[in-house]
Structure formats: structure tokens, C-alpha cells
Short mmCIF file of all heavy atoms in Angstrom, two decimals:
data_model
loop_
_atom_site.label_atom_id
_atom_site.label_comp_id
_atom_site.label_asym_id
_atom_site.label_seq_id
_atom_site.Cartn_x
_atom_site.Cartn_y
_atom_site.Cartn_z
N ARG F 1 -1.59 5.22 9.83
CA ARG F 1 -0.78 6.18 9.10
C ARG F 1 0.61 5.55 8.97
O ARG F 1 1.38 5.53 9.91
CB ARG F 1 -0.69 7.48 9.76
CG ARG F 1 0.17 8.50 8.96
CD ARG F 1 0.13 9.86 9.53
NE ARG F 1 1.11 10.72 8.91
CZ ARG F 1 0.97 11.39 7.77
NH1 ARG F 1 -0.21 11.27 7.14
NH2 ARG F 1 1.91 12.14 7.29
N PRO F 2 0.91 4.96 7.81
CA PRO F 2 2.19 4.30 7.64
C PRO F 2 3.35 5.30 7.61
O PRO F 2 3.21 6.45 7.18
CB PRO F 2 2.06 3.64 6.26
CG PRO F 2 1.03 4.42 5.52
CD PRO F 2 0.10 4.94 6.60
N THR F 3 4.50 4.85 8.09
CA THR F 3 5.73 5.65 8.12
C THR F 3 6.28 5.73 6.68
O THR F 3 5.96 4.86 5.84
CB THR F 3 6.82 5.09 9.01
OG1 THR F 3 7.19 3.77 8.55
CG2 THR F 3 6.26 4.94 10.49
N GLU F 4 7.13 6.66 6.46
CA GLU F 4 7.79 6.75 5.14
C GLU F 4 8.66 5.52 4.89
O GLU F 4 8.74 5.03 3.79
CB GLU F 4 8.68 8.01 5.11
CG GLU F 4 7.91 9.29 4.91
CD GLU F 4 7.12 9.28 3.62
OE1 GLU F 4 7.60 8.89 2.54
OE2 GLU F 4 5.96 9.78 3.64
N LYS F 5 9.29 4.96 5.94
CA LYS F 5 10.08 3.76 5.84
C LYS F 5 9.23 2.56 5.36
O LYS F 5 9.60 1.82 4.47
CB LYS F 5 10.78 3.46 7.17
CG LYS F 5 11.66 2.21 7.03
CD LYS F 5 12.56 2.11 8.28
CE LYS F 5 13.40 0.87 8.28
NZ LYS F 5 14.20 0.61 7.10
N LEU F 6 8.05 2.42 5.97
CA LEU F 6 7.13 1.35 5.56
C LEU F 6 6.73 1.51 4.10
O LEU F 6 6.74 0.58 3.32
CB LEU F 6 5.91 1.28 6.45
CG LEU F 6 4.85 0.22 6.08
CD1 LEU F 6 5.38 -1.18 6.36
CD2 LEU F 6 3.55 0.52 6.73
N LEU F 7 6.35 2.72 3.76
CA LEU F 7 5.92 3.01 2.38
C LEU F 7 7.03 2.76 1.40
O LEU F 7 6.82 2.10 0.33
CB LEU F 7 5.41 4.45 2.25
CG LEU F 7 4.13 4.77 2.97
CD1 LEU F 7 3.90 6.31 2.98
CD2 LEU F 7 2.97 4.11 2.29
N SER F 8 8.24 3.20 1.69
CA SER F 8 9.32 3.08 0.71
C SER F 8 9.95 1.66 0.72
O SER F 8 10.20 1.13 -0.37
CB SER F 8 10.40 4.12 1.01
OG SER F 8 10.99 3.91 2.25
N ASP F 9 10.16 1.09 1.88
CA ASP F 9 10.86 -0.18 1.95
C ASP F 9 9.92 -1.38 1.76
O ASP F 9 10.17 -2.29 0.94
CB ASP F 9 11.63 -0.35 3.27
CG ASP F 9 12.69 0.70 3.41
OD1 ASP F 9 13.02 1.43 2.43
OD2 ASP F 9 13.30 0.80 4.52
N THR F 10 8.90 -1.45 2.52
CA THR F 10 8.02 -2.65 2.54
C THR F 10 6.91 -2.57 1.52
O THR F 10 6.56 -3.61 0.90
CB THR F 10 7.37 -2.81 3.95
OG1 THR F 10 8.43 -2.80 4.90
CG2 THR F 10 6.58 -4.09 4.04
N LEU F 11 6.40 -1.46 1.24
CA LEU F 11 5.30 -1.29 0.31
C LEU F 11 5.76 -0.82 -1.09
O LEU F 11 4.98 -0.31 -1.85
CB LEU F 11 4.19 -0.39 0.89
CG LEU F 11 3.57 -0.91 2.15
CD1 LEU F 11 2.50 0.08 2.69
CD2 LEU F 11 2.95 -2.28 1.94
N GLY F 12 7.02 -0.99 -1.39
CA GLY F 12 7.53 -0.75 -2.71
C GLY F 12 7.50 0.67 -3.20
O GLY F 12 7.37 0.89 -4.43
N GLY F 13 7.63 1.64 -2.34
CA GLY F 13 7.66 3.02 -2.76
C GLY F 13 6.27 3.65 -2.94
O GLY F 13 6.10 4.69 -3.55
N MET F 14 5.27 3.00 -2.33
CA MET F 14 3.87 3.51 -2.42
C MET F 14 3.81 4.86 -1.75
O MET F 14 4.42 5.10 -0.72
CB MET F 14 2.96 2.51 -1.68
CG MET F 14 1.51 2.79 -1.79
SD MET F 14 0.52 1.61 -0.87
CE MET F 14 0.82 0.08 -1.80
N SER F 15 3.00 5.75 -2.35
CA SER F 15 2.78 7.07 -1.72
C SER F 15 1.75 6.98 -0.64
O SER F 15 0.91 6.05 -0.64
CB SER F 15 2.38 8.10 -2.78
OG SER F 15 1.03 7.82 -3.24
N LEU F 16 1.73 7.95 0.25
CA LEU F 16 0.72 8.00 1.29
C LEU F 16 -0.67 8.14 0.68
O LEU F 16 -1.64 7.54 1.12
CB LEU F 16 0.99 9.07 2.33
CG LEU F 16 0.04 9.25 3.49
CD1 LEU F 16 -0.04 7.96 4.30
CD2 LEU F 16 0.45 10.41 4.37
N ILE F 17 -0.78 8.93 -0.35
CA ILE F 17 -2.04 9.16 -1.02
C ILE F 17 -2.54 7.78 -1.55
O ILE F 17 -3.74 7.48 -1.39
CB ILE F 17 -1.94 10.21 -2.13
CG1 ILE F 17 -1.71 11.59 -1.53
CG2 ILE F 17 -3.16 10.18 -3.03
CD1 ILE F 17 -1.39 12.64 -2.57
N ARG F 18 -1.66 7.06 -2.21
CA ARG F 18 -2.05 5.77 -2.74
C ARG F 18 -2.51 4.82 -1.66
O ARG F 18 -3.46 4.05 -1.76
CB ARG F 18 -0.91 5.15 -3.58
CG ARG F 18 -1.25 3.78 -4.19
CD ARG F 18 -2.34 3.86 -5.21
NE ARG F 18 -2.54 2.57 -5.84
CZ ARG F 18 -3.66 2.16 -6.39
NH1 ARG F 18 -4.78 2.95 -6.32
NH2 ARG F 18 -3.80 1.01 -6.93
N PHE F 19 -1.73 4.78 -0.55
CA PHE F 19 -2.07 3.97 0.60
C PHE F 19 -3.49 4.29 1.09
O PHE F 19 -4.31 3.37 1.36
CB PHE F 19 -1.10 4.07 1.74
CG PHE F 19 -1.42 3.18 2.89
CD1 PHE F 19 -0.99 1.86 2.98
CD2 PHE F 19 -2.17 3.66 3.96
CE1 PHE F 19 -1.32 1.03 4.04
CE2 PHE F 19 -2.51 2.85 5.04
CZ PHE F 19 -2.10 1.54 5.04
N ASN F 20 -3.76 5.55 1.22
CA ASN F 20 -5.10 6.00 1.71
C ASN F 20 -6.19 5.61 0.74
O ASN F 20 -7.29 5.24 1.14
CB ASN F 20 -5.11 7.49 1.99
CG ASN F 20 -4.33 7.83 3.21
OD1 ASN F 20 -4.18 7.08 4.13
ND2 ASN F 20 -3.77 9.04 3.21
N GLN F 21 -5.94 5.66 -0.58
CA GLN F 21 -6.91 5.24 -1.56
C GLN F 21 -7.16 3.72 -1.43
O GLN F 21 -8.33 3.30 -1.51
CB GLN F 21 -6.39 5.52 -2.99
CG GLN F 21 -6.36 6.97 -3.35
CD GLN F 21 -5.65 7.23 -4.68
OE1 GLN F 21 -4.92 6.37 -5.21
NE2 GLN F 21 -5.92 8.37 -5.26
N ILE F 22 -6.12 2.99 -1.22
CA ILE F 22 -6.27 1.52 -1.04
C ILE F 22 -7.06 1.27 0.25
O ILE F 22 -7.94 0.46 0.29
CB ILE F 22 -4.90 0.82 -1.04
CG1 ILE F 22 -4.27 0.86 -2.46
CG2 ILE F 22 -5.02 -0.61 -0.58
CD1 ILE F 22 -2.82 0.47 -2.53
N TRP F 23 -6.69 1.97 1.33
CA TRP F 23 -7.34 1.79 2.64
C TRP F 23 -8.87 2.04 2.49
O TRP F 23 -9.67 1.30 3.02
CB TRP F 23 -6.71 2.77 3.61
CG TRP F 23 -7.42 2.93 4.95
CD1 TRP F 23 -8.35 3.75 5.34
CD2 TRP F 23 -7.13 2.08 6.07
NE1 TRP F 23 -8.73 3.56 6.65
CE2 TRP F 23 -8.00 2.52 7.13
CE3 TRP F 23 -6.29 1.04 6.34
CZ2 TRP F 23 -7.98 1.92 8.39
CZ3 TRP F 23 -6.28 0.46 7.60
CH2 TRP F 23 -7.12 0.89 8.61
N ASP F 24 -9.24 3.08 1.75
CA ASP F 24 -10.65 3.43 1.58
C ASP F 24 -11.31 2.76 0.39
O ASP F 24 -12.54 2.96 0.17
CB ASP F 24 -10.77 4.93 1.38
CG ASP F 24 -10.41 5.73 2.64
OD1 ASP F 24 -10.66 5.22 3.78
OD2 ASP F 24 -9.91 6.84 2.53
N ASN F 25 -10.62 1.93 -0.34
CA ASN F 25 -11.17 1.31 -1.58
C ASN F 25 -11.78 2.42 -2.47
O ASN F 25 -12.82 2.28 -3.08
CB ASN F 25 -12.24 0.32 -1.24
CG ASN F 25 -11.59 -1.07 -0.98
OD1 ASN F 25 -10.88 -1.60 -1.78
ND2 ASN F 25 -11.89 -1.60 0.18
N SER F 26 -11.05 3.56 -2.58
CA SER F 26 -11.61 4.70 -3.32
C SER F 26 -10.89 5.07 -4.58
O SER F 26 -11.27 6.00 -5.26
CB SER F 26 -11.62 5.91 -2.40
OG SER F 26 -10.30 6.26 -2.05
N SER F 27 -9.84 4.28 -4.95
CA SER F 27 -9.05 4.63 -6.09
C SER F 27 -9.78 4.28 -7.40
O SER F 27 -10.44 3.26 -7.49
CB SER F 27 -7.73 3.88 -6.02
OG SER F 27 -6.95 4.17 -7.16
N LYS F 28 -9.55 5.09 -8.40
CA LYS F 28 -10.06 4.81 -9.73
C LYS F 28 -9.11 3.83 -10.41
O LYS F 28 -9.49 3.18 -11.42
CB LYS F 28 -10.22 6.07 -10.53
CG LYS F 28 -11.34 6.97 -9.96
CD LYS F 28 -11.44 8.24 -10.76
CE LYS F 28 -12.49 9.15 -10.11
NZ LYS F 28 -12.55 10.44 -10.75
N THR F 29 -7.90 3.75 -9.92
CA THR F 29 -6.88 2.87 -10.47
C THR F 29 -6.88 1.52 -9.74
O THR F 29 -6.82 1.51 -8.48
CB THR F 29 -5.47 3.48 -10.34
OG1 THR F 29 -5.48 4.77 -10.94
CG2 THR F 29 -4.40 2.60 -10.98
N GLU F 30 -6.99 0.46 -10.46
CA GLU F 30 -7.03 -0.88 -9.88
C GLU F 30 -5.72 -1.19 -9.13
O GLU F 30 -4.66 -0.66 -9.51
CB GLU F 30 -7.26 -1.94 -10.94
CG GLU F 30 -8.58 -1.82 -11.65
CD GLU F 30 -9.77 -2.30 -10.82
OE1 GLU F 30 -9.58 -2.82 -9.69
OE2 GLU F 30 -10.89 -2.09 -11.25
N LEU F 31 -5.78 -2.05 -8.18
CA LEU F 31 -4.54 -2.52 -7.51
C LEU F 31 -3.75 -3.32 -8.49
O LEU F 31 -4.26 -4.16 -9.23
CB LEU F 31 -4.94 -3.45 -6.33
CG LEU F 31 -5.32 -2.86 -5.02
CD1 LEU F 31 -5.96 -3.89 -4.14
CD2 LEU F 31 -4.18 -2.24 -4.36
N SER F 32 -2.45 -3.08 -8.47
CA SER F 32 -1.55 -3.87 -9.30
C SER F 32 -1.21 -5.17 -8.56
O SER F 32 -1.33 -5.24 -7.35
CB SER F 32 -0.29 -3.13 -9.68
OG SER F 32 0.53 -2.98 -8.52
N ILE F 33 -0.76 -6.16 -9.32
CA ILE F 33 -0.29 -7.41 -8.69
C ILE F 33 0.83 -7.09 -7.78
O ILE F 33 0.93 -7.67 -6.66
CB ILE F 33 0.10 -8.46 -9.76
CG1 ILE F 33 -1.14 -8.88 -10.53
CG2 ILE F 33 0.83 -9.62 -9.19
CD1 ILE F 33 -0.85 -9.70 -11.77
N TYR F 34 1.75 -6.19 -8.13
CA TYR F 34 2.84 -5.81 -7.26
C TYR F 34 2.37 -5.23 -5.93
O TYR F 34 2.86 -5.54 -4.87
CB TYR F 34 3.77 -4.80 -7.99
CG TYR F 34 4.93 -4.36 -7.20
CD1 TYR F 34 5.95 -5.24 -6.90
CD2 TYR F 34 4.99 -3.07 -6.72
CE1 TYR F 34 7.09 -4.81 -6.16
CE2 TYR F 34 6.10 -2.60 -6.00
CZ TYR F 34 7.13 -3.50 -5.71
OH TYR F 34 8.17 -3.06 -4.93
N GLU F 35 1.37 -4.34 -6.03
CA GLU F 35 0.83 -3.73 -4.77
C GLU F 35 0.20 -4.80 -3.89
O GLU F 35 0.37 -4.79 -2.66
CB GLU F 35 -0.22 -2.67 -5.12
CG GLU F 35 0.38 -1.41 -5.71
CD GLU F 35 -0.67 -0.45 -6.20
OE1 GLU F 35 -1.71 -0.87 -6.75
OE2 GLU F 35 -0.43 0.79 -6.09
N VAL F 36 -0.54 -5.71 -4.50
CA VAL F 36 -1.17 -6.82 -3.75
C VAL F 36 -0.08 -7.62 -3.02
O VAL F 36 -0.19 -7.91 -1.84
CB VAL F 36 -2.01 -7.76 -4.60
CG1 VAL F 36 -2.45 -8.96 -3.88
CG2 VAL F 36 -3.24 -6.99 -5.15
N ARG F 37 0.97 -7.97 -3.75
CA ARG F 37 2.09 -8.73 -3.13
C ARG F 37 2.79 -7.96 -2.00
O ARG F 37 3.09 -8.57 -0.96
CB ARG F 37 3.03 -9.14 -4.20
CG ARG F 37 2.52 -10.25 -5.10
CD ARG F 37 3.49 -10.75 -6.08
NE ARG F 37 2.88 -11.76 -6.95
CZ ARG F 37 3.22 -11.97 -8.20
NH1 ARG F 37 4.16 -11.29 -8.76
NH2 ARG F 37 2.61 -12.93 -8.88
N CYS F 38 3.01 -6.71 -2.22
CA CYS F 38 3.62 -5.90 -1.13
C CYS F 38 2.77 -5.81 0.09
O CYS F 38 3.23 -6.01 1.23
CB CYS F 38 3.93 -4.48 -1.68
SG CYS F 38 5.27 -4.34 -2.83
N LEU F 39 1.48 -5.55 -0.14
CA LEU F 39 0.56 -5.48 1.00
C LEU F 39 0.43 -6.81 1.72
O LEU F 39 0.42 -6.87 2.94
CB LEU F 39 -0.82 -5.02 0.50
CG LEU F 39 -0.93 -3.56 0.10
CD1 LEU F 39 -2.20 -3.32 -0.72
CD2 LEU F 39 -0.92 -2.63 1.31
N GLU F 40 0.35 -7.90 0.98
CA GLU F 40 0.23 -9.25 1.61
C GLU F 40 1.53 -9.59 2.37
O GLU F 40 1.44 -10.15 3.50
CB GLU F 40 -0.09 -10.33 0.55
CG GLU F 40 -1.53 -10.26 0.15
CD GLU F 40 -1.92 -11.34 -0.88
OE1 GLU F 40 -1.07 -11.93 -1.50
OE2 GLU F 40 -3.10 -11.53 -1.03
N THR F 41 2.67 -9.27 1.80
CA THR F 41 3.95 -9.51 2.54
C THR F 41 3.95 -8.74 3.82
O THR F 41 4.30 -9.32 4.88
CB THR F 41 5.17 -9.08 1.64
OG1 THR F 41 5.12 -9.90 0.46
CG2 THR F 41 6.43 -9.30 2.36
N TRP F 42 3.57 -7.51 3.83
CA TRP F 42 3.55 -6.68 5.03
C TRP F 42 2.54 -7.23 6.07
O TRP F 42 2.92 -7.42 7.23
CB TRP F 42 3.20 -5.24 4.69
CG TRP F 42 2.84 -4.34 5.83
CD1 TRP F 42 3.62 -4.15 6.93
CD2 TRP F 42 1.70 -3.55 6.04
NE1 TRP F 42 2.99 -3.26 7.75
CE2 TRP F 42 1.82 -2.92 7.25
CE3 TRP F 42 0.52 -3.35 5.25
CZ2 TRP F 42 0.81 -2.06 7.75
CZ3 TRP F 42 -0.41 -2.49 5.76
CH2 TRP F 42 -0.26 -1.85 6.96
N LEU F 43 1.34 -7.50 5.63
CA LEU F 43 0.31 -7.99 6.54
C LEU F 43 0.59 -9.40 7.09
O LEU F 43 0.37 -9.70 8.24
CB LEU F 43 -1.06 -7.94 5.91
CG LEU F 43 -1.55 -6.51 5.65
CD1 LEU F 43 -2.81 -6.51 4.76
CD2 LEU F 43 -1.78 -5.78 6.95
N ASN F 44 1.18 -10.27 6.23
CA ASN F 44 1.60 -11.61 6.67
C ASN F 44 2.59 -11.48 7.80
O ASN F 44 2.56 -12.18 8.82
CB ASN F 44 2.19 -12.42 5.53
CG ASN F 44 1.12 -12.83 4.51
OD1 ASN F 44 -0.06 -12.74 4.75
ND2 ASN F 44 1.60 -13.21 3.34
N LYS F 45 3.56 -10.59 7.64
CA LYS F 45 4.61 -10.39 8.68
C LYS F 45 3.99 -9.80 9.91
O LYS F 45 4.28 -10.18 11.05
CB LYS F 45 5.68 -9.44 8.10
CG LYS F 45 6.86 -9.23 9.04
CD LYS F 45 7.90 -8.38 8.37
CE LYS F 45 9.04 -8.13 9.34
NZ LYS F 45 10.07 -7.27 8.74
#
């Protein structure tokens, strides 16, 4: 469960709902290149 700070600062303003959709691979909306880069930056760190 990401903090609001992680969502807003590191994950580019991603909502908790969107994070959960990504976590579950359940979104009807494809991942954007920006989201991929934000997630990779966070996980690399």
C-alpha cells in the first residue's frame, strides 16, 4: 500500500486505484511509457 508521498512524488501523481490496477494487471488502460519509467525508477532505487 503505497503512501501518498510515494504516489505523488515518485510515481508521478499516480492514484491508489491506478497503482492497484497495475499491481493486479487488471486495468483496461495500457501502461503509459511515463508510468513504466516512474515504476522502474522507484523499483531500481
Side-chain angles (χ1 to χ4, degrees):
R1 180 173 170 86
T3 63
E4 285 299 319
K5 181 168 177 51
L6 177 72
L7 290 168
S8 64
D9 296 352
T10 307
L11 298 179
M14 186 181 293
S15 70
L16 181 58
I17 291 170
R18 179 66 175 151
F19 180 86
N20 288 332
Q21 289 172 341
I22 292 169
W23 174 266
D24 292 328
N25 275 305
S26 64
S27 177
K28 294 178 183 174
T29 305
E30 297 286 352
L31 279 167
S32 70
I33 292 171
Y34 179 70
E35 288 172 325
V36 170
R37 288 184 181 149
C38 288
L39 289 163
E40 285 181 344
T41 299
W42 168 54
L43 292 170
N44 291 344
K45 185 177 177 182

